[in-house]
Amino acid sequence: MSDRRSPLPCRVLIIAGSDSGGGAGIQADIKAVTAMGGYAATAITAITVQNTLGVHGVHPLPLDLIEAQARAVLDDIGADAIKTGMLGSVAVVERVAAILDTSNAPAVVDPVMVAKGGAALLDDDAVSAVRSLMIPRAALLTPNAPEAEALTGILVADLDGQRRAGAALLELGAKAVLMKGGHVPGQTVVDLLVTASGETLLEGPRIETNSTHGTGCTLASAIAAGLALGRPLEVAVAEAWAYVSEAIRRAPGLGQGHGPLDHGWPLKDAR
């Protein structure tokens, strides 16, 4: 009898926090990687009590447990890309940086600092650890404007600010930087991909909606899936950007606050 199994999907290890509401964090990451054709595995850094109205509690997991999850995945399943999200503390940043050093997989680093509702997800003293330990290990860094400002001290209020902050983050060691423009004022949203060889602009009209919870997590994980599938960086970023834009447009309108995206729209369209 012939083997009807399909080829193994490309593997993404996600190291991030859990969102009980399902719109961001590990839950959004898994959905995004799956929708983009990858296989998602996880190492959870913290459990959050969260819904569309905000973060109501954060419970970090022990360092050894975080590392044990990652090691269990890397030593057995392996990874073609790694995505990091919420890390929370200096100690977790240090441990995750050490984990990244044991793998050759490219790392997409989302420097998560604040939840959509305003809750802090990274200790103030951990910002310098992200700057010194995570940025140099990033094949791609994906900061929004406030995160880029915190990491560089450069005001990001327009495209020029995005360019200057992106260049500064390259100087800090990132191989590439996707400067997200959702927090930058204007009717058009511009994301700027900056590499040593140049820049790529991705732009589109701002979608007026409250359903933007987890956009950063979703975008970074979708890019990681593209890299795991062997896409060139520019192609992985463009495909993920288009995926997230459509996921925002099709958002199901759940919850009373910042609602989740429709992560599964490509799977629905494929039926």
Side-chain angles (χ1 to χ4, degrees), residues 87-91 93 122-132 151:
L87 302 181
S89 69
V90 172
V93 171
L122 183 71
D123 295 344
D124 290 342
D125 61 354
V127 174
S128 61
V130 170
R131 187 184 299 115
S132 63
L151 290 167

Side-chain angles (χ1 to χ4, degrees), residues 3-178:
D3 188 346
R4 297 176 59 85
R5 294 176 296 178
S6 61
L8 288 174
C10 291
R11 308 154 296 175
V12 179
L13 170 60
I14 303 149
I15 306 175
S18 168
D19 171 8
S20 57
I26 287 286
Q27 287 81 351
D29 298 328
I30 293 171
K31 295 171 191 175
V33 169
T34 303
M36 297 299 286
Y39 177 85
T42 64
I44 298 174
T45 60
I47 296 172
T48 70
V49 180
Q50 189 171 171
N51 55 24
T52 68
L53 296 174
V55 178
H56 309 289
V58 177
H59 303 272
L61 295 186
L63 294 175
D64 288 347
L65 180 55
I66 297 170
E67 181 170 3
Q69 293 174 84
R71 285 262 56 89
V73 172
L74 292 172
D75 292 346
D76 176 32
I77 297 169
D80 300 296
I82 298 174
K83 182 261 183 176
T84 69
M86 175 188 172
L87 302 181
S89 69
V90 172
V92 175
V93 171
E94 292 173 343
R95 187 65 67 97
V96 171
I99 292 167
L100 294 181
D101 286 344
T102 69
S103 173
N104 292 323
V108 177
V109 176
D110 186 13
V112 176
M113 296 183 184
V114 178
K116 186 70 67 179
L121 299 177
L122 183 71
D123 295 344
D124 290 342
D125 61 354
V127 174
S128 61
V130 170
R131 187 184 299 115
S132 63
L133 295 175
M134 297 302 295
I135 291 178
R137 290 168 169 81
L140 177 67
L141 186 73
T142 64
N144 59 31
E147 291 160 352
E149 290 175 355
L151 290 167
T152 66
I154 296 171
L155 179 65
V156 182
D158 53 23
L159 183 57
D160 181 64
Q162 288 176 273
R163 284 195 173 101
R164 290 189 293 111
L169 292 166
L170 287 181
E171 286 290 325
L172 289 172
K175 304 300 185 296
V177 181
L178 180 62

